[in-house]
Amino acid sequence: MMNADLRIYQYKGILNIKRSQVLETNVLPKDDSVEWLFLIADKKEDKRYTFFYKIEHSSNALYENPFFNQLAFMDEVGKFIKSNI
Protein backbone atom coordinates (compact mmCIF):
# COMPACT_ATOMS: atom_id res chain seq x y z
CA MET A 1 0.00 0.00 0.00
CA MET A 2 1.23 3.50 -0.81
CA ASN A 3 2.57 5.67 1.99
CA ALA A 4 -0.11 8.25 2.88
CA ASP A 5 2.46 11.06 2.68
CA LEU A 6 3.14 10.22 -1.00
CA ARG A 7 -0.52 9.87 -2.01
CA ILE A 8 -2.12 12.71 -4.01
CA TYR A 9 -5.31 13.95 -2.36
CA GLN A 10 -7.64 15.56 -4.89
CA TYR A 11 -10.50 16.73 -2.67
CA LYS A 12 -11.34 18.07 0.75
CA GLY A 13 -14.32 16.64 2.55
CA ILE A 14 -16.03 16.01 5.83
CA LEU A 15 -16.47 12.51 7.22
CA ASN A 16 -18.83 11.47 9.97
CA ILE A 17 -18.03 7.85 10.75
CA LYS A 18 -18.94 5.38 13.46
CA ARG A 19 -16.38 3.46 15.44
CA SER A 20 -16.00 -0.10 14.20
CA GLN A 21 -17.20 -2.71 16.67
CA VAL A 22 -13.80 -4.39 16.45
CA LEU A 23 -12.01 -1.30 17.83
CA GLU A 24 -11.49 -0.70 21.53
CA THR A 25 -13.49 2.15 23.06
CA ASN A 26 -10.44 4.34 23.68
CA VAL A 27 -9.39 4.34 19.99
CA LEU A 28 -9.80 7.62 18.07
CA PRO A 29 -9.97 8.16 14.30
CA LYS A 30 -6.33 9.33 14.29
CA ASP A 31 -5.34 5.91 15.67
CA ASP A 32 -6.90 4.02 12.74
CA SER A 33 -4.06 2.83 10.53
CA VAL A 34 -6.32 1.71 7.66
CA GLU A 35 -7.34 5.21 6.42
CA TRP A 36 -9.57 3.97 3.61
CA LEU A 37 -13.31 3.53 3.16
CA PHE A 38 -15.86 2.71 0.47
CA LEU A 39 -18.08 5.20 -1.32
CA ILE A 40 -21.38 3.57 -2.29
CA ALA A 41 -22.28 5.41 -5.48
CA ASP A 42 -25.33 3.44 -6.55
CA LYS A 43 -27.06 0.96 -4.24
CA LYS A 44 -29.16 -0.45 -7.08
CA GLU A 45 -26.10 -1.40 -9.13
CA ASP A 46 -23.96 -2.10 -6.05
CA LYS A 47 -21.24 0.29 -7.21
CA ARG A 48 -18.63 0.79 -4.52
CA TYR A 49 -15.42 2.74 -4.84
CA THR A 50 -12.45 2.82 -2.53
CA PHE A 51 -11.11 6.11 -1.30
CA PHE A 52 -8.35 7.07 1.06
CA TYR A 53 -8.53 9.83 3.62
CA LYS A 54 -6.08 11.90 5.62
CA ILE A 55 -7.45 13.67 8.69
CA GLU A 56 -6.61 17.39 8.59
CA HIS A 57 -6.76 18.14 12.32
CA SER A 58 -6.31 14.72 13.85
CA SER A 59 -6.39 15.91 17.47
CA ASN A 60 -9.97 17.20 16.93
CA ALA A 61 -11.34 14.13 15.13
CA LEU A 62 -13.89 12.05 17.02
CA TYR A 63 -16.14 9.21 15.95
CA GLU A 64 -19.77 10.17 15.23
CA ASN A 65 -18.74 13.85 14.87
CA PRO A 66 -17.92 15.40 11.48
CA PHE A 67 -14.23 16.06 10.87
CA PHE A 68 -12.27 17.51 7.94
CA ASN A 69 -10.21 15.31 5.63
CA GLN A 70 -8.26 15.25 2.43
CA LEU A 71 -9.61 12.58 0.09
CA ALA A 72 -7.88 10.53 -2.61
CA PHE A 73 -10.02 8.76 -5.22
CA MET A 74 -9.11 6.66 -8.23
CA ASP A 75 -9.65 8.23 -11.69
CA GLU A 76 -12.99 6.53 -12.31
CA VAL A 77 -14.40 7.82 -9.03
CA GLY A 78 -13.07 11.32 -9.66
CA LYS A 79 -15.01 11.42 -12.92
CA PHE A 80 -18.15 10.23 -11.11
CA ILE A 81 -17.78 12.91 -8.42
CA LYS A 82 -17.21 15.73 -10.91
CA SER A 83 -20.29 14.72 -12.90
CA ASN A 84 -22.47 14.67 -9.77
CA ILE A 85 -21.42 17.88 -8.01
Side-chain angles (χ1 to χ4, degrees):
M1 185 173 287
M2 180 184 284
N3 182 325
D5 294 331
L6 300 176
R7 188 172 287 118
I8 297 172
Y9 295 90
Q10 303 100 332
Y11 300 96
K12 291 190 177 226
I14 298 173
L15 291 177
N16 186 1
I17 58 177
K18 293 182 180 182
R19 179 190 332 269
S20 170
Q21 294 178 353
V22 299
L23 295 176
E24 296 182 24
T25 56
N26 62 340
V27 173
L28 296 172
K30 68 177 181 66
D31 302 321
D32 187 352
S33 61
V34 175
E35 297 179 340
W36 62 270
L37 294 169
F38 291 102
L39 168 69
I40 300 174
D42 188 340
K43 289 183 181 181
K44 293 177 187 175
E45 295 183 27
D46 196 30
K47 287 187 180 180
R48 296 177 188 201
Y49 302 103
T50 302
F51 71 94
F52 299 89
Y53 66 92
K54 180 178 177 183
I55 302 171
E56 288 194 346
H57 305 285
S58 60
S59 60
N60 298 333
L62 299 171
Y63 288 109
E64 299 190 37
N65 287 296
F67 53 90
F68 291 95
N69 297 273
Q70 294 179 36
L71 307 171
F73 291 94
M74 300 301 190
D75 289 339
E76 184 178 343
V77 178
K79 291 176 188 175
F80 171 82
I81 291 171
K82 287 178 184 176
S83 67
N84 288 285
I85 291 181

